[in-house]
Amino acid sequence: MKKLILLLLFISTSILAQDSTESFWFKNVKVSGTAGLFGELYSIKGQVRRRPPSTYRLYVQPTFTFFNLFSVPLNLFVSSEGSAARQEINRYGITPQWSWGKAYIGDFSESFSEYSLGEINIRGGGFNINPGIFQFAAVAGLTSRAVLGGNDDGSYDRFLAGAKIGIGKEESSYFNLIFLKAKDKPSSNTGGEFIQVLFPNGSDEVPLNSVQTIRWSSSGFNGDVKIELSKDGGVTYTLVTAQTPNTGAYSWVVNELESFNSKIKISSIERPSIQDESDYSFRLYNGTILVEGNIPIEIRNTYAVTPQENLIIGTKGQLSLFEDRILFSVDASGSAFTKDINAQEVSDETSNLPKAVKSIFIPRISSNFDYAYTTQLKASFQPVDFTVAYKRVGPGYNSLGLPYIMNDQQEILTSVSVGIMPYFISLNYSRVSDNLLDQKLFTTIRNQFGLMISGQVVSGWNSSLMTNILGMGNNSSNDTTKTDFNTFLLSLNNMFSVNYGILSSITFTYSYQGSDNKTILSKNNSVKVHSGNLNFNLSLIENLTGGISLGLISSSYAATSSSTQMYGLFLSHMGISNRLNTSLNLNFSKQQENSILGTNLTSTYRLTERNSVSLGLSYNGYNSLLQDFTELRANLNLRHNF
C-alpha cells in the first residue's frame, strides 16, 4: 500500500514538473486533486475513554484528465482505525470518468433505486454508462467481511452483483430494469480463533490490595495465555502473569497503584496474534468494594448471526409531460430474502415460484417474498407546486443492497407550495400506517401536518414561521400496548440587518414544543419546552468578526420543571495577508447543578497556493453532582492541492 501511494505521488509530481513547451504529458495529461495527513491526540480524565488516544488518517485523491476527454479519479484513504472497526474503514478506489460514463475499480458506491441498491460500500468493480438515450450499469464485489460477533455486529463475507438497463434521460422521461443478487459465504464465519476479555472490560472500579478474578472466553487454539495490565489506556503494558492455563479465569492479586485508565490484555503464548484487551478503561482505586461496569458484553457466538441471501428484481421510471411541468414516477421492486441459507429447502410442491427464479434463488423455510413501491405525481405551474405520493413496503421486503430499510409500512404524502414574492408558503400532510397484512394485534397510524411561511416583512427584516402537528395512535384494546400521543411544534425565526457601529445584524429565534401522552398508563405525562436564542453578529475591527449568543431553555414534565442557560462567544480573524484564518468558539451551559464548558480553537495557515496546515484544539469540561470529567483533543492536518 505504501509503495502504491508513493508511486502515485511520484507520477503526479513528475507530470507537473515537466517543461510545458516540450512535455507531451504536460500538454495532454492534467493532474488535480488533494493529498493530506491528519493526526489526532485524545485524552480524558474522570470518565471512560471514548476514542483511541491517538489516530492518523492519510488520504490521496488525485484526478488524471487525459486529452480533455476523460478523467480518472483515485481515492486512497488509510486510517489507523482501519481494521479495528467491525468493517474495514480504509478505502482504495479508482473511478475513470468520461463524458457519457464512468467505471469503478476498488472501493465505490453506486445507487440503482430506493428499494434495491444504494449507500453501501462495494469492494470490487463496475461501470455506469449512458451512450445516447441508453443506460447501462453493472456492479460486483464484496459488501462486508466476515466478523465474529453477535446478531447486531457479526457478519459473513457477502458478495453482491447487480445490473441496471434502461432507456431515456433521468432528468426527463426514462425507464429502467434492475437486477440485484447478494449472498453470504457460510464458510467465511465458522468461529475461528479468538480471545474475548469478559472482566474487567471497562467502567469497572477495582479495589487495590484485593484478589479479583480476571475472566475471558476463547476458542480455536491450544496452549497457555499471557495476561498484561496497562495504566495508560492501552499504550503500554506490564506483566500480570507470563503464563497461565487457558481456563477462562485467573486470580489476580491487585498490588498496584491507583489509576483511572487501566486495561487488561490477554494473548496466546504460542499464537501472540490471537489476543484481546478490555473494550474500555477501568479504574483501580483505593477502596474496598468491587463495582463491575455496566458496559454490555456481546458474548461471541458463531450461531448468533446467520448467512443470508437476497434477490431483487425491480423497475424505476419517470414520465415527463408539458416541458417537465408534470412528472409521474414509479419505483417498484420485488424481493426474495432468505434469513438463513442453512435452513431447509422448500419442496417444489409447496413453492409457487417460477422456474426462472428458482434457478437463481433457492426458496427455504426462512425465506420471505414481498414487494415495495413508490408512486409520485408532481405538478409545477408557477407560482404553485403540488406533489402527491403513495408508498408501500411489505412486511417481508428486504434488500441487502441497502444499509437499512423500514418495512411493513404505507405512506400517503401531499404537499403544496406557493411562491409570491417576497413570501413563500408551504403546506404538507402525511399519513403513515403499519400492519399491512393484519398479522399484528393492532395497527399504528401516524398523521403529520406541517406549515411554513417565510419572507421579507420590511426592508432589513426577514422572518419565517414553521409549525408542525403530529398525532400517533393505535387501535389496541390493551392498556399496556395502547398508544395515543400527540405533539405540537412552533418555531419563529427573525433576522434584522442593523449595520450600526460594530453591530451588523441581530437574529432572534423562539420555539415551543408541547407533547401529550394520553394513554392510560402514562396520563398527565405532558411535556412543554420553550426555547429562545438571541445572537448579535459583530464586525469588530478590520479582518475581525465575532458574535455573542444568549439562550434559555425552559421545560416542564408532569410536575417537574427545569431551565438551561446557554452563553456563547465566537471570534474569527484573517491575518498575514489573508493567509492565516483563526476561529475561536466558547460555549457554556448550566442546568441546575450541572454545567458544561466547551472551547474550540481552529487555525489554518496557507503556506503556498497549494499547501496549507491546520491546527485544532478543543476542551470540554463536564461538572455535575454525580461526576466531573474533562476531555481534550488536538489535531493537525497537512493538506496539499495539486
Side-chain angles (χ1 to χ4, degrees), residues 142 146 155-159 183-190 307-308 341:
L142 290 173
S155 63
Y156 290 80
D157 285 340
R158 176 171 295 167
F159 182 81
K183 186 175 182 179
D184 290 340
K185 183 179 180 181
S187 61
S188 64
N189 195 339
T190 57
Q308 302 175 348
I341 295 176

Side-chain angles (χ1 to χ4, degrees), residues 351-366:
S351 173
N352 297 320
L353 287 180
K355 291 184 178 180
V357 176
K358 291 181 182 178
S359 64
I360 55 177
F361 182 87
I362 300 176
R364 303 179 185 274
I365 59 174
S366 64

Side-chain angles (χ1 to χ4, degrees), residues 455-463 494-499 504-507:
Q456 187 179 56
V457 182
V458 296
S459 178
W461 177 13
N462 290 281
S463 181
N494 292 278
M495 188 180 73
F496 304 91
S497 297
V498 179
N499 295 320
S504 58
S505 65
I506 300 174
T507 302

Side-chain angles (χ1 to χ4, degrees), residues 413-424:
L413 171 68
T414 61
S415 67
V416 60
S417 60
V418 181
I420 303 176
M421 294 301 294
Y423 299 104
F424 176 82

Side-chain angles (χ1 to χ4, degrees), residues 285-320:
Y285 82 110
N286 190 16
T288 58
I289 300 176
L290 170 66
V291 180
E292 293 201 25
N294 55 5
I295 297 175
I297 302 176
E298 180 93 40
I299 304 298
R300 295 188 175 185
N301 180 359
T302 58
Y303 301 102
V305 58
T306 58
Q308 302 175 348
E309 183 179 14
N310 186 213
L311 173 67
I312 299 289
I313 299 176
T315 182
K316 183 180 180 181
Q318 179 176 273
L319 177 63
S320 172

Side-chain angles (χ1 to χ4, degrees), residues 518-632:
K518 297 180 180 179
T519 56
I520 295 177
L521 298 181
S522 302
K523 276 189 173 181
N524 300 320
N525 283 343
S526 61
V527 178
K528 294 181 175 62
V529 181
H530 298 267
S531 62
N533 194 277
L534 185 62
N535 293 280
F536 300 92
N537 298 311
L538 310 173
S539 296
L540 300 172
I541 57 176
E542 185 179 2
N543 294 331
L544 179 62
T545 60
I548 298 174
S549 64
L550 307 172
L552 178 65
I553 299 176
S554 176
S555 61
S556 63
Y557 172 72
T560 64
S561 61
S562 64
S563 63
T564 302
Q565 305 169 45
M566 299 176 296
Y567 308 92
L569 173 65
F570 169 75
L571 295 173
S572 178
H573 180 260
M574 295 290 292
I576 314 180
S577 301
N578 292 332
R579 299 170 71 91
L580 178 63
N581 184 3
T582 303
S583 63
L584 173 67
N585 282 281
L586 298 174
N587 296 284
F588 177 78
S589 63
K590 183 174 178 59
Q591 181 186 41
Q592 296 176 343
E593 301 299 326
N594 304 320
S595 64
I596 302 174
L597 174 63
T599 64
N600 185 52
L601 175 66
T602 303
S603 184
T604 300
Y605 182 68
R606 185 162 47 88
L607 300 168
T608 66
E609 289 296 325
R610 298 189 176 190
N611 299 285
S612 63
V613 56
S614 299
L615 174 66
L617 301 172
S618 67
Y619 165 86
N620 290 303
Y622 302 83
N623 296 281
S624 67
L625 292 175
L626 299 177
Q627 188 178 34
D628 298 342
F629 66 94
T630 57
E631 198 171 29
L632 294 169

Side-chain angles (χ1 to χ4, degrees), residues 421-436:
M421 294 301 294
Y423 299 104
F424 176 82
I425 302 174
S426 175
L427 179 66
N428 61 77
Y429 164 75
S430 67
R431 182 183 188 273
V432 181
S433 60
D434 65 353
N435 199 17
L436 302 185

